[in-house]
Amino acid sequence: MMRTVRDDWRVIIEIRPSATHIPLAAIGFGGLDGQIVGDPFEIVIAPQRLGDLGWVSMSDSLASRDIDGDYRRRCEALLAELLRRPHVSAGRVTCTEVHVCSHCDRQWEVLTADEAADDSTNVDGHSVEGEPACCGKAIEEFRTERGIPMPSWGGAA
Ligand SMILES: [Zn+2]
């Protein structure tokens, strides 16, 4: 079946230089008198890794039983904290999503109606739209759920 893999969690905040006076020291120009001007800009912040406990570093899967949920909560907590600062006008949490097959871990792809009807792209005459295209196990699972006859692997005619 299709499995969704989320990665690259980020907190993105928008800074409006014109709406508020940001001290130059905040961007490493301490001791100078001036101000940041111009259009709003964004800062992209990576959360601390779940497995990074400061005194020891381990894989995220060892540190968490709910990696997606823990990253989302960690990012939302950081965002809430950042939104309380005067220079931050807006923000959001983002991540990448990739759909993969739970059997073979390859990218999840399914047949279109045209591909299912085309003998050069379908498995056999029983292929239908939405049938996975990555591996035999995914196809068999799909057909079992729908009561579709199994493919005759090996080409028994
Ligand atoms: Zn597969």
Side-chain angles (χ1 to χ4, degrees):
M1 67 185 76
M2 187 180 82
R3 191 165 66 85
T4 302
V5 178
R6 295 184 175 81
D7 199 8
D8 293 327
W9 288 91
R10 296 289 183 269
V11 176
I12 301 176
I13 54 173
E14 184 187 271
I15 309 284
R16 284 185 185 278
S18 56
T20 174
H21 180 80
I22 302 173
L24 288 185
I27 57 166
F29 292 95
L32 297 176
D33 187 19
Q35 73 183 95
I36 301 169
V37 296
D39 295 329
F41 61 91
E42 291 186 333
I43 297 176
V44 180
I45 300 158
Q48 187 179 358
R49 278 201 322 107
L50 297 176
D52 180 1
L53 305 181
W55 50 280
V56 64
S57 184
M58 61 182 79
S59 72
D60 286 347
S61 55
L62 273 177
S64 169
R65 288 169 166 272
D66 177 13
I67 292 176
D68 285 354
D70 283 347
Y71 267 118
R72 181 178 298 281
R73 282 185 284 276
R74 175 166 291 191
C75 287
E76 284 172 353
L78 177 60
L79 175 62
E81 183 190 318
L82 292 169
L83 284 173
R84 285 197 288 272
R85 302 192 186 196
H87 314 312
V88 180
S89 59
R92 62 190 186 277
V93 173
T94 68
C95 66
T96 58
E97 285 191 353
V98 181
H99 301 302
V100 298
C101 172
S102 60
H103 299 291
C104 68
D105 279 334
R106 275 180 288 200
Q107 188 174 346
W108 184 256
E109 286 179 53
V110 300
L111 297 178
T112 63
D114 285 346
E115 287 165 345
D118 184 338
D119 285 341
S120 70
T121 47
N122 67 13
V123 176
D124 57 26
H126 299 296
S127 286
V128 296
E129 182 179 5
E131 185 170 83
C134 55
C135 67
K137 279 192 167 183
I139 293 169
E140 288 170 8
E141 180 183 61
F142 177 87
R143 291 193 172 193
T144 299
E145 286 169 359
R146 287 160 184 78
I148 298 172
M150 287 298 148
S152 54
W153 302 117

